[in-house]
Amino acid sequence: MKAARLFLCLAAFLSVTLAGNPADADELVRFESVPVKLSAFRIRKAAEQGEILSQPSGTPLLGYLSRPQGDGPFPAVVILHGCDGLRLSVKGLWPQRLVRWGYAVLVVDSFTTRNIQDTCQSPLPDRVFDAYGALNFLSKQGFVDIGRVALMGFSAGGTVTLDATKIEGNEQLMERKFRAAVAYYPACDANQGDATVPTLIMTGDRDNWSPAEHCRKRLARLSDNGPPIELDIYKGTYHDFDAPEFKVGRRVLGHIEKYNPDAAEKSIRSVHAFLRNYLAN
């Protein structure tokens, strides 16, 4: 009997192991940011001076790829971390959640290959190109429906998300486009104008790092012709309100970061509905 039970347990273990569960295991992948193209002025000046220009190359990057079970093709989400790097909720909780909803997920690590610890006091300007490098990488994955990919960012990554999908920005230079954008507590630019894709922005009314008022001003100046931008502002809520690792709360550079379970749950429901609406077939 003991031998039989042992055999059954071993068989069950092997069955689970061999079947695998892509939702539980992120795959470390390598790709490059989209190269920053030379301007027409720079090319013309080089020609006038007889200078030979080399083709710019992209920055090598790391990423963490997760996917649902099955062959797909699946809609996908590219995730950009904040100025503090890959914290648990960004690298772990959100990919797990999105995979359960049926999305492939690529979390972009913008820091490791650049030997950067954080950019909370010195912003990194090239991250828009990181986002589109991730999109290009996903276009080569047979299980991804490249026509249904959203860009999602947190804090500084949320700011990059808005920059990457603003009208007359670098998006117009890119071959492939995102379908939608989700920005958690970004630093909105009131003069940024229309977006190129439907956008969901979520922030707290007590967030003095990424003031909600700037986002309100941007929405007030939108034209009637652009894609919709939805702004959700949660009362009594600070920066990083969706991140359980900040249950106790902390002060960073004079700004409060604190988890708010009610706001977090509401925002998760909003993201779920938003992605389902805009990444549907």
Side-chain angles (χ1 to χ4, degrees):
M1 290 295 292
K2 288 184 179 181
R5 285 197 298 269
L6 179 61
F7 174 80
L8 290 173
C9 290
L10 180 61
F13 171 78
L14 289 174
S15 175
V16 172
T17 302
L18 293 174
N21 186 353
D24 294 335
D26 296 333
E27 176 188 358
L28 178 64
V29 296
R30 300 176 186 274
F31 56 95
E32 290 187 351
S33 66
V34 172
V36 180
K37 293 184 179 181
L38 297 170
S39 69
F41 174 79
R42 181 74 179 89
I43 294 172
R44 187 171 65 252
K45 291 298 291 182
E48 292 173 357
Q49 298 171 5
E51 180 184 357
I52 299 176
L53 296 177
S54 59
Q55 178 64 32
S57 58
T59 300
L61 297 170
L62 301 180
Y64 296 89
L65 181 64
S66 305
R67 54 174 292 188
Q69 292 182 338
D71 297 330
F74 304 105
V77 179
V78 170
I79 292 181
L80 302 178
H81 59 73
C83 72
D84 56 349
L86 286 172
R87 62 171 186 254
L88 175 62
S89 53
V90 172
K91 184 175 180 290
L93 297 182
W94 267 107
Q96 292 169 10
R97 183 177 294 129
L98 289 164
V99 167
R100 286 199 304 271
W101 295 347
Y103 301 95
V105 183
L106 178 56
V107 180
V108 180
D109 178 356
S110 291
F111 288 176
T112 298
T113 56
R114 292 183 170 107
N115 295 315
I116 294 174
Q117 296 298 319
D118 70 73
T119 57
C120 296
Q121 298 184 74
S122 55
L124 179 63
D126 295 337
R127 293 187 68 196
V128 165
F129 299 93
D130 294 1
Y132 284 97
L135 186 61
N136 287 344
F137 173 82
L138 289 178
S139 72
K140 301 170 186 176
Q141 312 307 311
F143 58 86
V144 171
D145 182 347
I146 200 59
R148 294 190 293 151
V149 182
L151 180 60
M152 181 177 185
F154 298 82
S155 192
T159 304
V160 175
T161 295
L162 299 185
D163 287 342
T165 54
K166 67 181 181 182
I167 196 166
E168 298 181 353
N170 285 311
E171 188 260 6
Q172 64 186 323
L173 305 176
M174 304 300 171
E175 177 184 356
R176 297 179 179 85
K177 315 291 185 182
F178 289 101
R179 180 84 164 264
V182 176
Y184 266 89
Y185 30 86
C188 290
D189 181 349
N191 299 313
Q192 203 163 54
D194 289 346
T196 58
V197 297
T199 302
L200 172 62
I201 301 173
M202 294 164 291
T203 192
D205 69 340
R206 293 188 180 180
D207 189 336
N208 67 344
W209 203 328
S210 304
E213 186 58 29
H214 294 177
C215 298
R216 285 197 185 98
K217 289 181 179 178
R218 181 187 179 187
L219 265 65
R221 297 176 183 179
L222 296 178
S223 75
D224 296 328
N225 302 319
I229 298 181
E230 176 184 340
L231 174 61
D232 293 348
I233 301 175
Y234 302 102
K235 293 183 178 181
T237 301
Y238 297 96
H239 205 73
D240 287 330
F241 65 82
D242 69 307
E245 53 263 57
F246 301 130
K247 286 182 180 178
V248 175
R250 66 177 186 175
R251 185 178 293 273
V252 178
L253 300 175
H255 307 287
I256 295 176
E257 299 178 335
K258 189 173 183 180
Y259 177 60
N260 184 312
D262 292 336
E265 185 56 37
K266 289 178 182 176
S267 74
I268 291 168
R269 291 198 298 268
S270 291
V271 173
H272 191 193
F274 178 83
L275 293 178
R276 185 175 55 197
N277 188 24
Y278 290 108
L279 295 190
N281 286 322

